[in-house]
């Protein structure tokens, strides 16, 4: 098990902060300057990544997980909506990106599969957590009828068809490239959102995903906050199930209060899941990739969420230490 | 066991930040607000103390441990030099302070006993912490020939005589008041510092202290960083020894690399002591007071790249509370937004409010 975090600003300050926090493995996303075509499209540029790796070397920080562009109209958008004329080019770009990652020693590629925006959170975006800290929340009843401009309504059958088509083409390339794919379950895990029937919003969905394309490269980013916010799910069972089958390739180790249709994100030690028990399960199943904090509450006096991030990183490291992983 | 921080500011935002961290106890100084005379002298004023309690409690934080004034010329400065009319008056003030704290429900009072105090830290932090972080360093060879102008020569016998007299006077009062005294043993724990024999720089010295005046009120603030700095010390053994005898009344839960004559303070998870093992010992011995991360008084600044800005690694295995015990060092990450550095020295600027939501924006 490895403690990790994400780099997002790509500045010396950020690198130094991570090094001082004892973070040596990071996740990074397909920002504009890293992609070969405008609009976060095309393939990951290997020369740019190499330059970044060289920049990170003095800090002893390794690029460990690459998050594919995830927003509408980016890299493989047309694969998600199943546009027959454009999806093969999009999938070719993803395959090339996976090869680039493999060639540069980046072992994990994270991806997402949705049409509505990533979090689907609707106004009001914030609710109060412990001590009045601001936390992100979701309430299906507030967004049920929203159909933002550009909404594309797709049935679950079509969504499955599209994702299977995508996985069938990407997974063999990943296997060959020595890369493991980590799909982020739908956040929020609402079975329907903005006209899209979500295909990764339940434990059964997740099981089906790895069954449909049974490849050692086909696994999950267990976003534990997302799993915990699924309706009627036993989080520890989900971790154990996929962990025992070696299908956990990345982990967002965070916590929530409640579950779909209504939940809020929480401090890592203030949610519904006993994080120590969860950590023990990862240990038992031999999970060996990154543990990272992902979203954190916004605290008073902490405009960049640095303190809040420190809190989560420290907590994760403490738990890893407690289970004998450090 | 209780999670706490040392609060040096009573502003609403600062208290709220700690409430958000899940902090329910604090240690505190607030000498300018609390002491009846200028220069952190006299007695604690009961009404001022109650006012601080009220402010903290509004945010669910209970003031738990008061640190007696410790610098030059403060409350019981002359008592450190032996008996004198000034010393007698000062000891009376300490006794009255203990009674007032007891009346107000402050269960623990921390105290120190030194003339040069924590003298001798390298005045600027060195970049030898993890990832080039700046840390406080002590190097005996750089300070062995230096001394502050107010320093005096005092051998071990005289030090012991003075401290024993002081303890004999105050411990019965503390017992009566229902207050436990928590002595912060010498930091840095050299044999000598600026002419002073450091009698509380080892397990032997610490043991002698509680034996000389054997009172249930007479215990330690186990400053774990300082224990680890002691040459050849067995940190876990020392915690166990005093813990089993119920003589730990306060804990500074921090870590260091090295020991006397040269050591660096370190990130809590990056020092010589396995903090998880240490935490397990506190749990085993039934320690029940507060844990705080501490700030070295010699650290001239706190920045985002200071170890103080960062976090814990050790946890007690099962309970969330004991787990979070190691976490409040996070609070110091807030200091980059303070114009003049450490929240321990000034009022941090904590006026920030999150921006209103924008359509389509996303967390993290």
């Amino acid at each position: 098990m490895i403690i990790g975090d994400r780099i997002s600003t790509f500045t010396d300050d950020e690198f130094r902060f991570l090094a001082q926090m004892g973070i040596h493995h990071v996740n990074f996303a397909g920002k504009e300057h890293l992609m070969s075509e405008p609009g976060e499209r095309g393939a990951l540029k290997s020369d740019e990544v190499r330059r970044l790796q060289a920049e990170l070397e003095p800090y002893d920080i390794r690029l460990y997980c690459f998050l594919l562009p995830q927003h509408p109209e980016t890299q493989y958008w047309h694969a998600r909506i199943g546009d027959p004329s454009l999806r093969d080019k999009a999938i070719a770009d993803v395959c090339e990106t996976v090869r680039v990652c493999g060639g540069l020693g980046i072992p994990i590629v994270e991806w997402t599969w949705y049409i509505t925006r990533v979090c689907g959170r609707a106004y009001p975006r914030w609710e109060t957590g412990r001590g009045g800290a601001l936390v992100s929340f979701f309430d299906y009843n507030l967004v049920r009828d929203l159909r933002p401009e550009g909404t594309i309504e797709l049935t679950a059958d079509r969504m499955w068809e599209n994702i299977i088509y995508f996985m069938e083409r990407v997974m063999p390339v990943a296997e060959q490239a020595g890369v493991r794919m980590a799909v982020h379950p739908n956040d929020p895990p609402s079975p329907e959102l903005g006209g899209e029937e979500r295909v990764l919003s339940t434990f059964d969905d997740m099981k089906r995903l790895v069954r449909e394309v049974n490849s050692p490269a086909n696994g999950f980013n267990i976003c534990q906050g997302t799993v915990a916010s699924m309706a009627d799910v036993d989080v520890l069972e989900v971790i154990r199930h996929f962990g025992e089958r070696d299908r956990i390739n990345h982990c967002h180790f965070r916590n929530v209060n409640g579950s779909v249709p209504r939940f809020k994100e929480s401090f890592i030690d203030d949610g519904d899941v006993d994080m120590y028990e969860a950590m023990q399960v990862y240990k038992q199943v031999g999970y060996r990739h990154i543990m990272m904090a992902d979203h954190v509450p916004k605290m008073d006096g902490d405009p960049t969420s640095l303190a809040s991030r420190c809190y989560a990183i420290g907590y994760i490291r403490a738990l890893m230490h407690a289970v004998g992983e450090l | 066991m209780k999670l706490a921080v040392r609060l040096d500011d009573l502003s609403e935002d600062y208290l709220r930040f700690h409430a958000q961290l899940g902090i329910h106890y604090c240690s505190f100084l607030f000498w300018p607000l609390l002491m009846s005379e200028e220069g952190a002298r006299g007695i604690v004023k009961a009404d001022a103390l109650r006012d601080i309690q009220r402010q903290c409690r509004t945010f669910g934080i209970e003031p738990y441990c008061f640190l007696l004034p410790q610098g030059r010329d403060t409350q019981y400065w002359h008592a450190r030099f032996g008996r004198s009319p000034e010393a007698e008056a000062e000891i009376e003030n300490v006794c009255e302070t203990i009674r007032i704290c007891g009346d107000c429900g402050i269960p623990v009072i921390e105290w120190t006993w030194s003339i040069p105090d924590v003298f001798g830290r390298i005045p600027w932090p060195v970049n030898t912490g993890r990832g080039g972080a700046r840390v406080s360093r002590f190097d005996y060879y750089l300070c062995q020939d230096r001394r502050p102008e107010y320093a005096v020569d005092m051998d071990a016998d005289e030090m012991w005589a003075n401290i024993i007299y002081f303890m004999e006077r105050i411990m019965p009062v503390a017992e009566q008041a229902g207050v436990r005294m928590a002595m912060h043993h010498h930091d840095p724990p050299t044999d000598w510092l600026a002419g002073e024999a450091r009698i509380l720089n080892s397990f032997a010295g610490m043991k002698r202290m509680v034996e000389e005046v054997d009172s249930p009120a007479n215990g330690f603030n186990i400053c774990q960083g300082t224990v680890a700095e002691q040459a050849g010390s067995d940190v876990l053994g020392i915690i166990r020894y005093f813990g089993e005898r119920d003589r730990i009344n306060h804990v500074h839960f921090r870590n260091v690399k090295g020991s006397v004559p040269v050591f660096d303070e370190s990130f809590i998870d990056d020092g010589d002591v396995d903090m998880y093992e240490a935490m397990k010992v506190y749990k085993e011995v039934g320690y029940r007071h507060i844990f705080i991360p501490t700030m070295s008084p010699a650290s001239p600044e706190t920045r985002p790249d200071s170890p103080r800005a960062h976090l814990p690694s050790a946890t007690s295995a099962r309970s969330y509370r004991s787990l979070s015990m190691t976490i409040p060092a996070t609070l110091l990450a807030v200091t980059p937004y303070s114009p003049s550095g450490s929240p321990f020295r000034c009022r941090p600027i904590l006026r920030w409010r999150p921006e209103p939501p924008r359509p389509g924006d996303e967390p993290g």
Side-chain angles (χ1 to χ4, degrees):
Chain A
M1 218 182 291
I2 304 165
I3 187 150
D5 201 3
R6 63 164 56 94
I7 51 173
S8 51
T9 63
F10 300 90
T11 57
D12 284 350
D13 277 355
E14 183 179 45
F15 303 157
R16 208 164 53 238
F17 169 78
L18 291 168
Q20 291 172 10
M21 287 300 286
I23 300 288
H24 298 293
H25 298 81
V26 294
N27 171 305
F28 69 116
K31 293 283 172 66
E32 187 74 31
H33 71 287
L34 294 174
M35 305 303 291
S36 65
E37 295 170 25
E40 297 182 9
R41 303 171 67 87
L44 181 62
K45 290 196 281 192
S46 63
D47 51 342
E48 284 293 333
V49 177
R50 238 184 240 115
R51 187 177 324 181
L52 181 58
Q53 285 175 321
E55 258 184 89
L56 288 167
E57 203 183 335
Y59 300 95
D60 195 16
I61 294 173
R62 177 181 171 195
L63 297 175
Y64 194 89
C65 175
F66 176 67
L67 170 61
L68 294 180
Q70 55 178 342
H71 297 309
E73 307 292 340
T74 59
Q75 190 188 42
Y76 59 104
W77 169 250
H78 294 100
R80 278 180 263 169
I81 60 174
D83 181 336
S85 61
L86 294 170
R87 73 171 162 190
D88 287 333
K89 148 66 162 109
I91 290 172
D93 286 340
V94 170
C95 289
E96 180 55 21
T97 298
V98 169
R99 281 187 212 101
V100 167
C101 287
L104 294 172
I106 298 165
I108 310 289
V109 171
E110 181 188 354
W111 59 293
T112 53
W113 196 267
Y114 58 83
I115 292 169
T116 51
R117 284 185 71 93
V118 60
C119 288
R121 306 285 198 273
Y123 186 83
R125 285 286 314 282
W126 304 101
E127 200 173 84
T128 50
R130 180 170 65 197
L134 296 181
V135 296
S136 176
F137 93 110
F138 175 75
D139 185 342
Y140 184 64
N141 295 322
L142 295 180
V143 297
R144 186 205 311 263
D145 301 322
L146 294 183
R147 292 292 179 275
E149 199 184 328
T151 292
I152 299 170
E153 305 207 2
L154 279 186
T155 63
D157 285 347
R158 284 291 309 284
M159 289 292 286
W160 274 114
E161 210 177 286
N162 296 344
I163 197 173
I164 291 167
Y165 185 90
F166 176 84
M167 291 192 295
E168 279 172 343
R169 278 148 191 82
V170 171
M171 295 307 160
V173 174
E175 277 183 51
Q176 186 111 37
V179 167
R180 288 178 159 251
M181 305 297 293
V183 67
H184 190 309
N186 290 145
D187 179 14
S190 166
E192 185 277 335
L193 195 69
E196 168 193 332
E197 291 184 1
R198 315 265 278 178
V199 291
L200 289 171
S201 62
T202 66
F203 187 19
D204 283 342
D205 288 344
M206 294 171 74
K207 284 196 279 203
R208 176 171 173 191
L209 180 112
V210 294
R211 202 171 55 235
E212 290 283 1
V213 178
N214 188 9
S215 154
N218 189 16
F220 288 99
N221 166 14
I222 294 288
C223 174
Q224 205 182 294
T226 302
V227 172
S229 51
M230 290 175 177
D232 303 319
V233 76
D234 176 346
V235 175
L236 303 186
E237 189 194 343
V238 173
I239 300 167
R240 186 167 289 113
H241 179 89
F242 293 112
E244 282 172 348
R245 286 157 183 78
D246 193 18
R247 294 304 177 93
I248 308 182
N249 295 332
H250 193 51
C251 178
H252 288 171
F253 197 66
R254 63 177 176 86
N255 215 340
V256 294
N257 301 121
S259 60
V260 162
R262 185 178 161 73
F263 65 87
K264 60 181 182 179
E265 297 182 357
S266 72
F267 283 97
I268 188 167
D269 59 326
D270 194 38
D272 297 343
V273 175
D274 183 325
M275 299 303 264
Y276 177 59
E277 283 187 357
M279 184 61 84
Q280 284 175 314
V281 178
Y282 289 106
K283 163 86 177 164
Q284 283 159 18
V285 300
Y287 176 62
R288 61 190 186 282
H289 305 290
I290 282 185
M291 282 284 174
M292 60 175 266
D294 197 33
H295 312 159
V296 292
K298 286 182 179 290
M299 297 172 69
D300 283 65
D302 184 27
T304 58
S305 290
L306 198 64
S308 196
R309 234 167 120 192
C310 285
Y311 186 87
I313 291 169
Y315 202 92
I316 294 169
R317 176 170 289 137
L319 287 178
M320 286 171 61
H321 189 49
V323 302
E325 280 285 326
L326 278 180
Chain B
M1 298 196 279
K2 301 170 177 74
L3 168 65
V5 294
R6 189 160 95 189
L7 285 186
D8 286 67
D9 183 359
L10 292 167
S11 70
E12 221 183 286
D13 292 352
Y14 193 63
L15 291 169
R16 190 181 298 117
F17 178 83
H18 291 97
Q20 291 169 3
L21 277 178
I23 301 292
H24 297 297
Y25 298 91
C26 70
S27 71
F28 60 102
L29 289 69
F30 299 120
W31 300 325
L33 292 176
L34 281 172
M35 302 307 290
S36 64
E37 295 169 24
E38 286 292 298
R41 295 186 57 81
I43 59 172
V44 157
K45 294 181 286 187
D47 52 346
L49 180 51
R50 290 214 166 85
D51 199 43
I52 286 170
Q53 287 178 308
R54 190 182 45 69
Q55 291 180 63
C56 291
R57 285 172 183 163
T58 306
F59 295 88
I61 297 172
E62 181 64 29
Y64 195 90
C65 173
F66 173 62
L67 172 62
L68 291 182
Q70 59 177 350
R72 180 188 182 189
D73 290 330
T74 59
Q75 191 188 34
Y76 56 101
W77 176 251
H78 295 92
R80 294 166 170 86
F81 297 88
R83 298 189 202 188
S84 65
E86 292 94 336
E88 288 305 312
E90 287 177 351
I91 291 173
E92 241 342 287
N93 285 341
V94 172
C95 290
E96 188 54 21
T97 296
I98 292 170
R99 285 186 206 103
I100 288 165
C101 285
D103 277 353
C104 292
I106 303 294
V108 177
I109 293 178
E110 182 187 355
W111 62 292
T112 55
W113 194 266
S114 175
I115 296 159
D117 204 17
V118 286
F119 172 77
R121 292 287 201 279
I122 293 180
W124 308 111
V126 291
N127 291 320
T128 52
R130 178 170 64 200
R134 280 176 281 187
V135 297
S136 169
R137 166 173 288 188
F138 176 76
D139 184 339
Y140 185 64
Y141 302 112
L142 295 181
C143 71
Q144 61 185 339
D145 301 324
R146 293 167 42 226
R147 50 196 285 168
E149 29 112 7
Y150 54 85
V152 298
D153 290 310
M154 198 179 287
D155 65 20
D157 288 344
E158 204 181 337
M159 287 287 290
W160 276 116
N162 296 343
I163 196 173
I164 289 168
Y165 180 73
F166 181 78
M167 291 192 295
E168 280 171 344
R169 295 285 306 279
I170 67 165
M171 293 306 163
V173 176
E175 278 182 49
Q176 185 111 37
V179 168
R180 288 181 157 248
M181 303 300 293
M183 203 287 162
H184 189 312
H185 37 95
H186 285 144
D187 178 14
T190 48
D191 287 338
W192 290 89
L193 192 71
E196 173 183 290
R198 307 279 272 185
I199 56 176
L200 293 164
N201 72 330
S202 66
F203 183 35
M206 292 169 72
K207 235 167 33 175
R208 178 171 171 190
M209 191 194 92
V210 294
E211 283 161 5
E212 290 280 1
V213 179
D214 186 10
S215 155
N218 188 16
F220 286 101
N221 163 18
I222 294 289
C223 173
Q224 205 182 293
T226 307
V227 173
E229 292 156 15
Q230 294 174 359
S233 66
D234 167 10
V235 175
L236 304 187
I238 289 174
I239 297 166
R240 185 167 287 115
Y241 181 89
F242 293 110
E244 283 172 348
R245 285 155 185 79
D246 193 19
R247 293 304 176 93
I248 306 182
N249 295 331
H250 190 51
V251 173
H252 288 174
F253 199 64
R254 65 176 179 87
N255 214 341
V256 295
K257 281 182 177 172
S259 61
V260 163
V262 182
F263 59 83
D264 279 356
E265 295 184 357
S266 73
F267 288 96
I268 190 167
D269 60 323
D270 193 40
D272 295 341
V273 175
D274 182 325
M275 301 300 267
Y276 178 54
E277 293 302 320
M279 185 59 86
K280 285 197 282 198
V281 179
Y282 290 108
K283 184 162 171 67
E284 277 163 35
V285 300
Y287 175 65
R288 61 189 186 282
H289 304 289
I290 64 177
F291 282 89
I292 64 169
T294 60
M295 186 70 186
S296 160
S299 288
E301 58 180 340
T302 299
R303 294 280 304 273
D305 50 359
S306 150
R308 304 298 190 171
H310 303 299
L311 288 210
S313 84
T315 87
S316 163
R318 201 53 197 82
S319 99
Y320 281 154
R321 277 268 61 84
S322 51
L323 177 74
S324 347
M325 227 148 253
T326 59
I327 280 167
T330 335
L331 82 111
L332 293 159
V334 80
T335 53
Y337 313 109
S338 156
S340 41
S342 162
F344 288 83
R345 282 157 196 262
C346 68
R347 182 190 168 91
I349 292 189
L350 293 166
R351 293 295 171 202
W352 170 85
R353 283 287 183 280
E355 289 172 22
R358 289 182 302 257
D361 73 347
E362 289 155 14

